[in-house]
Amino acid sequence: MGGENQSAVSEFVLLGLCHSWNVQILLFVIFLVLYLIIVPGNIVIVTSIITDPHLHSPMYFLLANLSFVDMWLSSITTPKMIIDFLREDKTISFGGCMSQVFLAQLIAALEMVLLVVMAYDRYVAICKPLHYFTIMSLQKCIGLVVTAWTIGFVHALSQVVVIVHLPFCGPREVDSFFCDRPLVVKLACMDRHNIEIFMNINCGFVAITSFVMLLISYTHILITVSKSSKTGASKALSTCSAHITVVVLFFGPCIFLYVWPLSITWMDKFLAVFYSVFTPLLNPVIYTLRNKEMKNAMKRFRSYYIDCKRNT
């Protein structure tokens, strides 16, 4: 991973969210609790979808993938942030930093494309209901998810290949709780103008393309819904509103972090926390609270779990 760079800078210092010890202890408790909700919450959704035959449909297959990705979105940065709240020496190795950059970019691009795929699924279900199971076959769904992973991997690799070869000779302080790509690039000992333009175009292409495709899908859905009966329109809008809420929660912070950075330190930190902690926390809540089938499936899963404990 660029031995020349590592000889100059072998590790980076993460400045974290704040410097007050008392506040850090409070944040440690808060984020530990949140992380212990995020991971089990998303695992329960994935497990419920896999084990419940009522949820073996394209929409829930994609939702299970989203929950799996959300679990990793939080796990890339949150455990280290929680540990660092109790440490004075908040350092991360060069390799660890590059790994965070790669995984954060991978998951960001992957989730964007996955949200587009989920919007396409709703478009087919509402606009072409008679052909839904033919178009959204299991093979097609798997192909779309593999495509999302491929796009995420290629996007992340194209970023890290450039960053890892940058000359890092000091300073080595990253003003965040993880190795955020724009902040790491700023530490390079060279003129960064062209590289920053390339990075913004790279991220912008994935984000804006995904956003435009989402707008097209939901525009078609709204047009179709406006022509249907009130009952059908109400059900379709209820399903889509959960998707649109998740899209806004995810794309908002992502765009201002990587496409049009605000360059306001406290705002960047807030958006990074919201993106990596609160988005994976809110997604399961949004989908379960607004989805009757998911709530019923989770009740059946809880009953099955309780029965198993009684029998043992």
Side-chain angles (χ1 to χ4, degrees):
M1 264 210 175
E4 187 179 333
N5 287 352
Q6 291 194 58
S7 63
V9 173
S10 60
E11 62 182 18
F12 294 95
V13 178
L14 302 174
L15 297 184
L17 295 178
C18 66
H19 301 291
S20 168
W21 177 251
N22 290 333
V23 174
Q24 288 190 76
I25 294 297
L26 176 63
L27 292 175
F28 167 80
V29 174
I30 292 171
F31 285 110
L32 178 62
V33 171
L34 291 177
Y35 186 67
L36 292 177
I37 295 171
I38 291 167
V39 175
N42 283 290
I43 288 174
V44 167
I45 288 179
V46 174
T47 306
S48 298
I49 292 170
I50 292 172
T51 57
D52 196 319
H54 297 88
L55 301 181
H56 289 176
S57 67
M59 184 179 82
Y60 293 109
F61 172 79
L62 296 173
L63 176 57
N65 278 274
L66 181 68
S67 290
F68 178 76
V69 171
D70 276 338
M71 191 166 54
W72 284 105
L73 171 61
S74 181
S75 298
I76 292 166
T77 58
T78 308
K80 169 116 180 99
M81 175 179 66
I82 291 169
I83 293 169
D84 282 348
F85 283 135
L86 303 179
R87 295 173 58 190
E88 286 189 22
D89 183 27
K90 298 176 175 60
T91 58
I92 184 170
S93 67
F94 184 88
C97 185
M98 293 303 112
S99 297
Q100 276 195 341
V101 172
F102 175 79
L103 291 171
Q105 294 298 310
L106 165 64
I107 295 299
L110 165 60
E111 185 148 344
M112 285 181 187
V113 180
L114 199 54
L115 288 171
V116 173
V117 172
M118 294 178 75
Y120 174 70
D121 169 74
R122 291 300 82 205
Y123 160 75
V124 176
I126 294 168
C127 301
K128 300 182 180 180
L130 298 178
H131 305 285
Y132 177 63
F133 287 102
T134 303
I135 296 172
M136 297 302 294
S137 62
L138 179 59
Q139 187 177 0
K140 179 75 169 287
C141 289
I142 292 171
L144 289 170
V145 170
V146 170
T147 301
W149 276 94
T150 304
I151 291 171
F153 181 82
V154 171
H155 167 73
L157 191 63
S158 68
Q159 301 263 310
V160 171
V161 165
V162 174
I163 295 172
V164 80
H165 289 102
L166 294 177
F168 294 104
C169 51
R172 59 195 185 101
E173 292 182 340
V174 179
D175 195 4
S176 186
F177 59 92
F178 76 107
C179 284
D180 203 3
R181 188 265 299 163
L183 299 178
V184 174
V185 171
K186 284 181 181 178
L187 300 179
C189 306
M190 60 176 288
D191 182 8
R192 306 181 304 269
H193 180 69
N194 291 335
I195 290 173
E196 287 176 344
I197 289 175
F198 164 75
M199 297 287 182
N200 289 341
I201 291 173
N202 192 322
C203 290
F205 177 76
V206 176
I208 293 170
T209 303
S210 299
F211 195 69
V212 168
M213 292 177 75
L214 284 165
L215 284 176
I216 292 170
S217 296
Y218 286 118
T219 300
H220 278 289
I221 289 170
L222 291 173
I223 291 170
T224 303
V225 163
S226 66
K227 297 175 182 177
S228 62
S229 65
K230 286 186 178 180
T231 306
S234 176
K235 187 176 179 182
L237 285 173
S238 177
T239 304
C240 289
S241 62
H243 288 263
I244 292 169
T245 304
V246 169
V247 166
V248 171
L249 289 173
F250 181 79
F251 270 83
C254 242
I255 287 172
F256 289 113
L257 280 171
Y258 300 117
V259 183
W260 291 295
L262 297 173
S263 299
I264 303 171
T265 303
W266 71 267
M267 181 62 76
D268 287 342
K269 288 184 180 182
F270 170 77
L271 290 172
V273 169
F274 191 91
Y275 163 74
S276 59
V277 177
F278 289 100
T279 298
L281 175 69
L282 292 172
N283 282 1
V285 175
I286 291 166
Y287 279 113
T288 52
L289 289 181
R290 298 185 67 90
N291 191 303
K292 191 175 181 180
E293 290 180 349
M294 272 303 305
K295 285 192 280 188
N296 291 336
M298 293 181 78
K299 286 177 184 176
R300 288 191 291 268
F301 178 77
R302 186 169 64 246
S303 299
Y304 174 77
Y305 178 75
I306 292 170
D307 290 341
C308 286
K309 286 194 75 174
R310 283 174 181 170
N311 293 333
T312 55

